[in-house]
Amino acid sequence: MSVVTDVLRQSVVVFSQNYLPMSRVNIKRAIVLLVTGKAQALDYSTGNGWLVRSPSTSIHVPEHIRLTFGNSERLWKVPPVNRREVLRRDAHSCQYCGSNRHLTLDRVIPRSKGGPHTWDNVVTACEGCNSRTGRSNSDRSWNASAN
């Protein structure tokens, strides 16, 4: 019985349609993907894998399978625009002078002028630079687009 449970504990590497590695799934999930036609085996020639038998059929489950459905590329979730993520992106330093003290968030184009709350419009600035750049909006937008 331990041989059966050992086989069921194995994992299979899942690749996208473009052969990019996506994840690892347990052997039960791999069998479902193969039987429903949502995946195909990748390593027929090597002979690696497991032979899983049921009362009515036996299935060769390889170590690697490729999905035959879905998006061809992995979709990445864009993190929210908040203080923590902006500071992380800007390496906890002022984008105008490089200081890492008294940091605030600065909008390149202020909200009062129609500036959106997006990744392209929010940067990390120290209090001094933020108060200085608040007076000259035309220079700020030009400098930010040049960087």
Side-chain angles (χ1 to χ4, degrees):
M1 193 60 138
S2 67
V3 174
V4 172
T5 57
D6 288 343
V7 169
L8 294 178
R9 289 186 189 142
Q10 301 298 322
S11 62
V12 176
V13 179
V14 179
F15 291 87
S16 69
Q17 289 177 324
N18 293 340
Y19 297 95
L20 296 173
M22 292 181 64
S23 65
R24 294 183 77 90
V25 296
N26 63 30
I27 200 164
K28 295 176 198 175
R29 179 69 180 141
I31 292 170
V32 170
L33 290 171
L34 289 167
V35 170
T36 58
K38 294 181 179 179
Q40 65 185 42
L42 284 183
D43 51 359
Y44 286 118
S45 61
T46 61
N48 293 339
W50 305 273
L51 185 62
V52 179
R53 293 188 174 107
S54 75
S56 60
T57 185
S58 62
I59 300 170
H60 174 72
V61 182
E63 291 179 346
H64 304 99
I65 60 175
R66 182 179 78 96
L67 294 178
T68 58
F69 75 98
N71 294 335
S72 59
E73 296 299 325
R74 178 184 257 175
L75 297 176
W76 298 100
K77 183 180 176 187
V78 177
V81 181
N82 59 31
R83 180 179 173 80
R84 183 183 67 183
E85 297 296 333
V86 173
L87 288 170
R88 181 182 298 168
R89 177 197 67 186
D90 295 342
H92 295 275
S93 63
C94 175
Q95 298 302 293
Y96 301 110
C97 71
S99 170
N100 59 1
R101 303 181 117 201
H102 307 291
L103 297 176
T104 62
L105 296 185
D106 183 31
R107 287 179 174 64
V108 178
I109 302 171
R111 282 191 169 173
S112 62
K113 305 281 187 204
H117 186 67
T118 61
W119 282 104
D120 298 336
N121 195 44
V122 180
V123 296
T124 303
C126 64
E127 289 177 352
C129 289
N130 198 353
S131 64
R132 265 180 267 140
T133 58
R135 295 183 216 123
S136 57
N137 287 332
S138 60
D139 292 341
R140 290 171 59 201
S141 60
W142 180 82
N143 287 335
S145 63
N147 290 335

